[in-house]
Amino acid sequence: SLLICFYSTDLLPAKNGEEPTIQFLLEMVDILTTYVKKTFDRSTKVLDFHHPHQLLEGMEGFNLELSDQPESLEQILVDCRDTLKYGVRTGHPRFFNQLSSGLDIIGLAGEWLTSTANTNMFTYEIAPVFVLMEQLTLKKMREMIGWPNGEGDGIFSPGGAISNMYSVMIARYKYYPEVKTKGMSAAPRLVLFTSEHSHYSIKKAGAALGFGSENVILLSTDERGRVIPADLEAKIIDAKQKGYVPLFVNATAGSTVYGAFDPINEIADICEKYNLWLHVDGAWGGGLLMSRKHRHKLNGVERANSVTWNPHKMMGVPLQCSAILVREKGILAGCNSMCAGYLFQPDKQYDVNYDTGDKAIQCGRHVDIFKFWLMWKAKGTIGFEQHIDRCLDLSQYLYNKIKNREGYQMVFDGVPQHTNVCFWYIPPSLRDMPDGEERREKLHRVAPKIKAMMMESGTTMVGYQPQGKNVNFFRMVVSNLAATQSDIDFLIDEIERLGRDL
Amino acid sequence: SLLICFYSTDLLPAKNGEEPTIQFLLEMVDILTTYVKKTFDRSTKVLDFHHPHQLLEGMEGFNLELSDQPESLEQILVDCRDTLKYGVRTGHPRFFNQLSSGLDIIGLAGEWLTSTANTNMFTYEIAPVFVLMEQLTLKKMREMIGWPNGEGDGIFSPGGAISNMYSVMIARYKYYPEVKTKGMSAAPRLVLFTSEHSHYSIKKAGAALGFGSENVILLSTDERGRVIPADLEAKIIDAKQKGYVPLFVNATAGSTVYGAFDPINEIADICEKYNLWLHVDGAWGGGLLMSRKHRHKLNGVERANSVTWNPHKMMGVPLQCSAILVREKGILAGCNSMCAGYLFQPDKQYDVNYDTGDKAIQCGRHVDIFKFWLMWKAKGTIGFEQHIDRCLDLSQYLYNKIKNREGYQMVFDGVPQHTNVCFWYIPPSLRDMPDGEERREKLHRVAPKIKAMMMESGTTMVGYQPQGKNVNFFRMVVSNLAATQSDIDFLIDEIERLGRDL
């Protein structure tokens, strides 16, 4: 290629840089489209695993070290090919490892445009179209939550953990606005409530924001991982008796491991009774609001004060795309604004209500909206609905396949509420062993061993973890439109192939 | 185009989806490369300004509203063209509005690859190459700071405000680790110190983390915006006498408006004397560490406990790319870890020290490292040095051009330390007016009026703001390699053309 003799300094804005620039970008696109095609090709591996020390030592000329001197553009393209070669194909039909998976072509094109536009969400001035897209999309999301006329507030944030952190911040601001200026000493000893199955970000927010992780009180759940409302009420009463002031309850809509939906209406009744902020963490389950068939699982969500909803999980939007939605208008700005004169001048020629930056805890903010807006345009609401319904159908297929199958044991009974299917694979050597500590210890080691072999062979990936008293089990999730029943069959075959001699 | 009859459901993973997928992506790339070429073309406008209500009403068929039904791929491409048409060309040689500007072709290609890989930084398992790139790059950055062997800790975060928030969190954890579990009531009344010219994110962090914004004490500066060390010491003593406990000092390396560098060594002496955490906010000025000529402006940075450094600002890396760097190893994990079993299993087959997710306040984390790593490969350290030196030379050219020019007044005397050049343009009608309230009020309205006209005509963009007692002035910054002396000349001509009759 001509690019052997070219360096980055030959690209635009260099004089005569147009030709090498276009050539370079098109060669890059060729690498990327080849990767896209392979991603959907089942004869390609999900990953080509290497240990950190192997990659650090350098794989066949792939050198990660940085240097004082530049590399040629040709070498840069080689580096890009290698980067993809040793990575993980998260869009592969047999990648089931994470809540976010899949490679949506429209979303991908949207991200390419976003990075080409390379702007910042803090003002209308430099992101007019994206700022309006964000407003319209947040309004649509609030309508789907069921808030009247889609009124309210919201912002896209860098992930569900930060969205959940926002919810705790604004709850505190609503009840104790003076904490913003005076600090936590201006408030009584506040406590937050969330399920023992909830995402760890609520606890992290408690630690970061100065509540303390011990003041995040964990609620008991039923055996399917749903909060027991009576336990919430008992713990509220107990906290009050001990002199604490309950502030905030998080209800999870789609828990990380079990995919459980907490009973929002019953929790909302208790929140109203005790005047507490109700947040719904729908990072994982929020997408079900798009489905007429499944949205009932979030019944009561319209009673929440705030909702986290990550389109980058169940709806297949590329990372990152997470929204925090708030019922009360203006409270995000009230909570976070510092009115920095150099960004948010009141004397601009346009309506500065469109400068949204001061609502955020960030200053600069990546454009996360465009890919999502573009996907919504391209699929329509009905396209997201089909995506959701299809993934849930596929999970039910898996559930039906293994619930009575020899060598499998479900972690909880009944049809899963979300796409999470949690199960143990019991190798033949353990099937006749009586329950007890020895069997538990052995079973605990089965999933990690199978997972390690899967990764070494690169054929598929699925998550595992312990939960409470339950030893390591597989947690299967489906959010990738590329997956079919044959891929589910493949996963089960693979587990049995790798696990039968353990 | 064939795509008129195609919809997103015809793309991969659909059967026979390969051909329309490649065609769609290539047509998208054609739109993007056309945009890239125009971005560097001075005969193209920087922006085509419209008010929010105009865009919301729909421009020549550009409809922002979302619908239940899908659009054809052809319409999606039209939407993408329109999105770019009504946006702002932040890479244009005459876009001077923001600290981040420019469109680096290598960085752009890196972002395209990142979105194609569509993975998450939380574990080595699903981002092996990116996790290692992050580690190596952070180490290089720590070496440039001057910490022995580049040892320490760090992470890429979604912007400088979050990086600064990390610094406050870890300072608190270092001195009062029990706050993590018990909350702020486990600590005495803590205060933080930062310059009155510093970025508002320090105050925002103080509010969010439960210190209270009033407990962020603002330090006086000299007339060039640099912290006066004696004022810091006096305010420390004063706070202690009032029963507060000083915890943290932020020194700014490159302030947002004046581009001032606080005297780090003198501040470090005081921090050592009183045993305080020293953070250096080098979000804007950190890039100067790459320049042998300019790095002396950060002398003493190696004495800091933590440093914020945003390659997406002065170094031209696409948004977002911000690092928080910490001298003490392991403290980020200590501060933030919650040990969630479903992500960070201790029984994986690889060295789980490479699972960095639990160090972060985020769970999912966008891959911000790759574009930066790729740019470093392509330019070498010397390429970044040339970038920095060139931008600073260009600012000095502007400074020399206007410092004695009729109709200009500098906001502070002397050669700027960074690329920030702050000045008033005085229209002829005000030049003979005696100083006083009337002139101040009139002058205050000049910059907004010129800026509004600039945006309407779309020829160039530059920021303005008041600062303390100074009425609205222009703040010119250069971080875009595309800008030349002729563009600086153009800006000045444009200010005079638009402002002469005010």
Side-chain angles (χ1 to χ4, degrees):
Chain A
S1 154
L2 272 177
L3 296 175
I4 285 184
C5 337
F6 281 97
Y7 285 83
S8 68
T9 42
D10 298 310
L11 300 174
L12 284 173
K15 219 174 187 173
N16 305 318
E18 200 167 295
E19 205 186 306
T21 297
I22 302 305
Q23 197 194 334
F24 172 73
L25 288 176
L26 291 182
E27 291 204 25
M28 179 64 76
V29 168
D30 188 58
I31 293 170
L32 300 179
T33 51
T34 301
Y35 179 84
V36 168
K37 284 188 267 185
K38 280 194 182 165
T39 288
F40 293 102
D41 176 359
R42 290 181 176 78
S43 69
T44 308
K45 285 184 171 187
V46 175
L47 79 163
D48 181 9
F49 178 79
H50 293 85
H51 285 278
H53 68 88
Q54 295 174 305
L55 286 172
L56 287 171
E57 283 156 13
M59 306 292 302
E60 297 168 47
F62 184 32
N63 175 13
L64 294 171
E65 289 291 341
L66 299 167
S67 141
D68 288 349
Q69 298 302 319
E71 275 183 1
S72 74
L73 295 182
E74 189 58 32
Q75 182 59 42
I76 288 297
L77 293 171
V78 170
D79 289 342
C80 288
R81 262 184 225 106
D82 284 338
T83 298
L84 292 170
K85 177 170 163 28
Y86 297 108
V88 177
R89 297 178 197 277
T90 58
H92 194 287
R94 292 170 183 167
F95 175 85
F96 301 112
N97 208 60
Q98 235 66 45
L99 304 186
S100 51
S101 64
L103 182 58
D104 186 275
I105 302 299
I106 303 287
L108 175 61
E111 273 294 81
W112 287 2
L113 184 146
T114 297
S115 34
T116 310
N118 192 32
T119 194
N120 193 317
M121 291 296 284
F122 47 41
T123 60
Y124 179 85
E125 189 172 319
I126 65 163
V129 182
F130 298 131
V131 162
L132 296 176
M133 285 173 175
E134 182 174 74
Q135 291 208 355
L136 289 172
T137 308
L138 288 168
K139 184 164 193 288
K140 280 291 260 192
M141 295 172 86
R142 288 189 302 258
E143 284 169 7
M144 305 203 93
I145 287 170
W147 291 332
N149 302 316
E151 289 289 313
D153 208 340
I155 201 163
F156 281 82
S157 93
I162 304 279
S163 291
N164 284 340
M165 181 186 272
Y166 269 114
S167 75
V168 178
M169 284 176 65
I170 52 185
R172 179 176 65 184
Y173 179 73
K174 175 69 181 172
Y175 287 85
Y176 300 96
E178 61 280 16
V179 169
K180 181 179 178 183
T181 49
K182 310 257 177 226
M184 286 296 270
S185 61
R189 292 160 70 196
L190 302 170
V191 287
L192 318 172
F193 300 89
T194 191
S195 151
E196 60 189 8
H197 277 243
S198 71
H199 192 262
Y200 67 88
S201 54
I202 301 289
K203 220 172 175 178
K204 240 178 204 192
L209 303 178
F211 294 84
S213 56
E214 286 176 5
N215 297 316
V216 180
I217 295 175
L218 298 184
L219 305 172
S220 303
T221 62
D222 63 21
E223 71 106 28
R224 299 197 49 169
R226 295 171 299 205
V227 157
I228 300 166
D231 186 61
L232 168 62
E233 184 156 22
K235 283 178 176 156
I236 289 170
I237 292 168
D238 182 59
K240 284 161 85 87
Q241 280 171 347
K242 288 180 178 151
Y244 290 90
V245 175
L247 174 77
F248 168 101
V249 178
N250 172 57
T252 303
S255 63
T256 313
V257 178
Y258 283 20
F261 288 77
D262 288 339
I264 302 177
N265 265 320
E266 289 160 82
I267 294 172
D269 289 342
I270 297 170
C271 287
E272 278 170 21
K273 181 170 171 187
Y274 294 96
N275 188 27
L276 308 183
W277 184 278
L278 173 59
H279 175 67
V280 170
D281 177 5
W284 174 222
L288 272 62
L289 290 169
M290 300 297 237
S291 161
R292 282 163 288 190
K293 186 170 166 195
H294 295 287
R295 64 166 288 137
H296 69 90
K297 294 169 185 172
L298 289 99
N299 275 352
V301 67
E302 71 284 357
R303 299 171 67 187
N305 299 96
S306 55
V307 176
T308 292
W309 176 354
N310 289 9
H312 74 213
K313 289 199 169 80
M314 193 60 207
M315 291 161 69
V317 178
L319 284 161
Q320 57 190 35
C321 191
S322 169
I324 171 72
L325 299 140
V326 191
R327 196 166 60 190
E328 182 175 327
K329 212 172 176 169
I331 197 167
L332 263 175
C335 177
N336 293 314
S337 68
M338 291 289 158
C339 301
Y342 61 86
L343 259 186
F344 311 114
Q345 304 89 336
D347 47 10
K348 291 181 182 177
Q349 91 274 29
Y350 59 85
D351 180 353
V352 294
N353 284 316
Y354 289 92
D355 285 354
T356 54
D358 213 15
K359 288 204 238 186
I361 54 169
Q362 301 178 268
C363 173
R365 189 159 61 93
H366 186 259
V367 177
D368 295 335
I369 184 60
F370 181 67
K371 59 196 163 206
F372 181 32
W373 179 88
L374 197 68
M375 282 173 70
W376 204 323
K377 277 280 189 191
K379 293 168 191 295
T381 313
I382 59 159
F384 283 122
E385 178 175 49
Q386 283 159 4
H387 180 143
I388 303 288
D389 290 353
R390 195 190 141 115
C391 291
L392 279 142
D393 284 352
L394 210 50
S395 287
Q396 192 158 353
Y397 171 80
L398 169 62
Y399 169 74
N400 288 333
K401 180 177 175 122
I402 61 172
K403 67 178 171 182
N404 297 317
R405 189 182 180 95
E406 195 188 350
Y408 290 82
Q409 191 184 331
M410 305 311 290
V411 173
F412 55 84
D413 290 332
V415 179
Q417 290 186 284
H418 204 328
T419 75
N420 308 47
V421 180
C422 295
F423 62 91
W424 287 281
Y425 168 72
I426 321 279
S429 67
L430 298 185
R431 287 184 199 162
D432 297 325
M433 193 180 282
D435 202 10
E437 203 47 43
E438 191 192 340
R439 184 174 181 276
R440 280 174 51 82
E441 275 172 26
K442 288 197 166 171
L443 186 55
H444 189 58
R445 287 195 293 271
V446 168
K449 274 186 197 157
I450 293 176
K451 171 75 175 273
M453 288 187 283
M454 271 178 186
M455 286 181 66
E456 298 280 353
S457 63
T459 48
T460 184
M461 281 177 81
V462 60
Y464 73 85
Q465 67 285 299
Q467 169 88 41
K469 283 180 216 154
N470 289 324
V471 300
N472 278 324
F473 55 87
F474 287 113
R475 174 206 57 179
M476 173 67 183
V477 280
V478 184
S479 61
N480 184 354
L481 221 45
T484 62
Q485 293 188 355
S486 74
D487 299 308
I488 302 284
D489 295 341
F490 178 86
L491 174 78
I492 294 302
D493 288 348
E494 197 65 359
I495 287 175
E496 294 176 0
R497 178 179 76 85
L498 297 169
R500 68 184 160 214
D501 296 326
L502 292 180
Chain B
S1 153
L2 270 176
L3 296 174
I4 285 184
C5 336
F6 281 97
Y7 285 83
S8 69
T9 43
D10 298 310
L11 301 174
L12 284 173
K15 219 176 187 173
N16 305 320
E18 199 167 295
E19 204 187 307
T21 297
I22 302 305
Q23 198 194 335
F24 172 72
L25 288 176
L26 291 182
E27 291 204 25
M28 178 64 75
V29 168
D30 188 58
I31 293 170
L32 300 180
T33 51
T34 301
Y35 179 84
V36 168
K37 284 188 265 185
K38 279 193 182 166
T39 288
F40 293 103
D41 176 359
R42 290 181 176 78
S43 69
T44 308
K45 284 183 171 188
V46 175
L47 79 163
D48 181 9
F49 179 79
H50 293 85
H51 285 279
H53 68 89
Q54 294 174 302
L55 286 173
L56 287 171
E57 283 156 12
M59 306 293 301
E60 297 167 47
F62 184 33
N63 174 14
L64 294 171
E65 289 290 344
L66 300 167
S67 140
D68 287 350
Q69 298 302 319
E71 275 184 1
S72 74
L73 295 183
E74 189 59 31
Q75 182 59 42
I76 288 298
L77 292 171
V78 171
D79 289 343
C80 287
R81 262 186 225 106
D82 284 340
T83 299
L84 292 171
K85 178 171 165 23
Y86 297 108
V88 176
R89 295 178 198 279
T90 59
H92 193 287
R94 292 171 183 166
F95 176 84
F96 300 113
N97 209 60
Q98 236 67 43
L99 304 187
S100 51
S101 64
L103 182 59
D104 186 275
I105 302 299
I106 303 286
L108 175 61
E111 272 294 81
W112 287 2
L113 184 146
T114 297
S115 34
T116 311
N118 192 33
T119 195
N120 192 316
M121 291 295 284
F122 48 40
T123 60
Y124 179 85
E125 189 171 317
I126 65 162
V129 182
F130 299 131
V131 161
L132 296 177
M133 286 172 175
E134 181 172 76
Q135 291 209 357
L136 289 172
T137 308
L138 288 169
K139 185 163 191 289
K140 280 291 261 192
M141 294 173 87
R142 289 190 301 259
E143 284 170 6
M144 306 202 90
I145 287 170
W147 291 332
N149 302 317
E151 288 291 312
D153 209 339
I155 201 164
F156 281 83
S157 93
I162 303 281
S163 290
N164 284 340
M165 180 186 273
Y166 269 114
S167 75
V168 178
M169 285 176 65
I170 51 183
R172 179 175 65 184
Y173 180 73
K174 175 68 180 173
Y175 287 86
Y176 300 96
E178 60 279 17
V179 170
K180 180 179 178 182
T181 49
K182 309 258 177 224
M184 286 297 269
S185 61
R189 293 160 71 195
L190 302 171
V191 287
L192 318 172
F193 300 88
T194 191
S195 151
E196 60 190 7
H197 277 244
S198 70
H199 191 263
Y200 67 88
S201 53
I202 301 289
K203 221 172 175 176
K204 241 178 202 190
L209 303 178
F211 294 84
S213 56
E214 287 177 4
N215 297 316
V216 180
I217 296 176
L218 297 184
L219 303 172
S220 304
T221 63
D222 63 21
E223 69 106 29
R224 299 197 51 171
R226 295 171 298 205
V227 156
I228 299 167
D231 187 63
L232 168 61
E233 183 155 22
K235 283 176 175 156
I236 289 171
I237 292 168
D238 183 58
K240 285 162 83 89
Q241 279 172 349
K242 288 178 178 153
Y244 289 90
V245 176
L247 174 77
F248 169 100
V249 178
N250 172 56
T252 304
S255 64
T256 313
V257 178
Y258 283 21
F261 287 78
D262 289 339
I264 303 177
N265 266 319
E266 289 160 83
I267 294 172
D269 289 342
I270 297 169
C271 288
E272 278 172 22
K273 182 170 171 186
Y274 294 95
N275 188 27
L276 308 182
W277 185 276
L278 173 59
H279 175 66
V280 171
D281 177 4
W284 174 221
L288 272 61
L289 290 168
M290 300 297 238
S291 161
R292 281 163 287 189
K293 186 171 166 194
H294 295 288
R295 64 166 289 139
H296 68 90
K297 293 169 186 173
L298 290 100
N299 274 353
V301 67
E302 71 284 357
R303 298 171 67 187
N305 300 97
S306 55
V307 176
T308 292
W309 176 353
N310 289 8
H312 74 212
K313 290 199 168 78
M314 193 60 208
M315 291 161 67
V317 178
L319 283 160
Q320 59 192 28
C321 191
S322 169
I324 172 72
L325 299 141
V326 191
R327 198 167 58 189
E328 183 175 327
K329 210 171 177 171
I331 196 168
L332 264 174
C335 177
N336 293 314
S337 67
M338 291 290 159
C339 301
Y342 60 86
L343 257 186
F344 310 114
Q345 304 89 333
D347 46 10
K348 291 182 182 176
Q349 91 273 28
Y350 60 85
D351 179 354
V352 294
N353 285 315
Y354 290 91
D355 285 355
T356 54
D358 214 15
K359 289 203 239 186
I361 54 169
Q362 300 178 268
C363 173
R365 189 159 61 93
H366 186 259
V367 177
D368 296 335
I369 184 60
F370 182 67
K371 58 197 163 206
F372 181 32
W373 179 89
L374 197 68
M375 282 173 70
W376 204 324
K377 277 280 190 192
K379 293 169 191 291
T381 313
I382 60 160
F384 284 121
E385 177 174 49
Q386 283 158 4
H387 180 143
I388 303 289
D389 289 352
R390 196 191 141 117
C391 291
L392 279 144
D393 284 352
L394 210 49
S395 288
Q396 191 158 353
Y397 171 80
L398 169 63
Y399 169 74
N400 288 332
K401 180 176 174 121
I402 61 173
K403 68 178 172 183
N404 297 316
R405 189 181 178 97
E406 195 187 351
Y408 290 81
Q409 191 184 331
M410 305 309 292
V411 174
F412 56 82
D413 291 331
V415 178
Q417 290 186 283
H418 205 328
T419 75
N420 309 47
V421 181
C422 295
F423 62 92
W424 288 280
Y425 168 72
I426 322 280
S429 67
L430 298 184
R431 288 185 199 163
D432 296 327
M433 192 180 281
D435 201 12
E437 203 47 42
E438 190 191 342
R439 184 175 182 275
R440 280 173 53 82
E441 275 172 25
K442 289 198 164 165
L443 186 56
H444 189 58
R445 288 195 294 269
V446 168
K449 275 186 195 157
I450 292 176
K451 171 76 176 271
M453 288 187 284
M454 269 179 188
M455 286 180 66
E456 298 281 353
S457 62
T459 49
T460 184
M461 281 177 81
V462 60
Y464 74 85
Q465 67 285 298
Q467 168 88 41
K469 284 180 215 154
N470 290 324
V471 299
N472 278 324
F473 55 87
F474 287 113
R475 175 206 57 178
M476 172 68 182
V477 280
V478 183
S479 62
N480 184 352
L481 220 45
T484 62
Q485 293 188 355
S486 74
D487 299 308
I488 302 285
D489 294 341
F490 179 87
L491 175 78
I492 294 301
D493 289 348
E494 197 66 0
I495 286 176
E496 294 175 1
R497 178 178 78 83
L498 297 168
R500 68 185 160 213
D501 297 326
L502 292 181

